[in-house]
Amino acid sequence: MDLLFSEEFFSPIVISLKVACTATLLSFLIGIMLAFTLSKQTFPGKSFVETVIMLPMVLPPTVVGFLLLYLFGRYGILGQWIYSLFNTTMLFSIYAAIIASTVVAVPLMYQSLKIGIDNVSSDILEAAQLDGANSIVIFKSIIMPLSKNALLTGILFAFARALGEFGATLIFAGNIPGITQTLPTAIYVAIENNELLLAGIWVAMMVLLSFVLMLIIQMIRKDAQ
């Protein structure tokens, strides 16, 4: 029982929730920006842009982690710029874990929002434009309310994906107890160390939480039909 009240038990849970919540918020903001910009728009190269956005869904997590290392590493394209400004690197920090989780969560958020926005009738949008409503008003007062089910689904999908991120996080953020060790990486280490009881409790928590999230998503989809 002492295990359930130890820092070793709670630390990965707290870090995972911090990372997942922050990544969900970031993916929400990025997803809205992308969906608002790309939905109901036609331009050369749109398919290419959307393919890039969705790519993290099909790439192996280790590949995503390597690409993040390449971009944000000490001598990476963005890493050099960050180092010159802050004299530090994002590698092996909680910020790296948040970035990794955000990258894999954005495609799910974007896809859900895109479906919701595409389902909004073009006649309604055209009528609002004729009445003088600008893009911001249309998005805030028409698109968002009519896409609320898709929005909630995207948030839950993004949170679940960010919470379960493993490969990219392990490569980019590492597995530092108390700093970057999330539940998935903690489970991996516990199994390697033959701490099966500890791993089993964490696994049960992840399964239960994932089940609840998916159940809520199914209920939202059912109500939308």
Side-chain angles (χ1 to χ4, degrees):
M1 289 298 294
D2 292 340
L3 176 66
L4 299 179
F5 299 97
S6 65
E7 183 179 354
E8 179 187 7
F9 177 75
F10 279 107
S11 178
I13 298 173
V14 173
I15 292 173
S16 287
L17 290 176
K18 286 181 179 179
V19 169
C21 289
T22 308
T24 301
L25 175 61
L26 291 174
S27 65
F28 170 73
L29 297 175
I30 295 171
I32 281 184
M33 180 186 68
L34 292 174
F36 180 65
T37 303
L38 298 178
S39 292
K40 298 186 180 300
Q41 300 288 334
T42 301
F43 57 88
K46 179 180 178 180
S47 296
F48 177 82
V49 173
E50 289 189 313
T51 299
V52 172
I53 295 171
M54 302 303 295
L55 201 56
M57 284 186 64
V58 296
L59 283 176
T62 49
V63 173
V64 176
F66 177 83
L67 292 175
L68 289 174
L69 274 177
Y70 183 79
L71 289 173
F72 291 95
R74 172 66 178 83
Y75 301 102
I77 299 172
L78 297 176
Q80 293 185 52
W81 177 72
I82 293 172
Y83 192 84
S84 65
L85 287 177
F86 305 104
N87 197 34
T88 187
T89 176
M90 285 190 173
L91 290 179
F92 309 118
S93 68
I94 192 171
Y95 302 109
I98 290 171
I99 291 172
S101 294
T102 301
V103 167
V104 298
V106 164
L108 292 169
M109 181 70 76
Y110 169 74
Q111 188 69 9
S112 295
L113 289 173
K114 181 176 181 294
I115 292 172
I117 294 174
D118 287 344
N119 286 335
V120 176
S121 173
S122 298
D123 294 336
I124 296 176
L125 300 180
E126 290 175 2
Q129 289 176 337
L130 290 175
D131 288 339
N134 58 38
S135 298
I136 296 176
V137 172
I138 291 174
F139 187 76
K140 179 181 177 182
S141 303
I142 299 176
I143 293 178
M144 291 300 289
L146 294 178
S147 305
K148 63 179 181 179
N149 287 330
L151 176 61
L152 289 174
T153 299
I155 290 173
L156 293 174
F157 267 134
F159 180 80
R161 183 64 185 88
L163 190 66
E165 167 51 35
F166 172 72
T169 300
L170 187 62
I171 291 176
F172 185 41
N175 181 45
I176 307 171
I179 300 177
T180 65
Q181 188 179 67
T182 58
L183 271 173
T185 56
I187 291 170
Y188 174 76
V189 172
I191 293 174
E192 275 201 330
N193 294 335
N194 202 34
E195 297 175 331
L196 299 184
L197 175 60
L198 182 59
I201 296 173
W202 280 332
V203 167
M205 292 177 60
M206 291 286 289
V207 170
L208 179 61
L209 181 56
S210 298
F211 177 83
V212 171
L213 290 173
M214 292 305 297
L215 182 61
I216 295 173
I217 289 172
Q218 295 303 319
M219 293 172 63
I220 291 173
R221 288 180 169 178
K222 185 177 180 180
D223 291 340
Q225 292 178 352

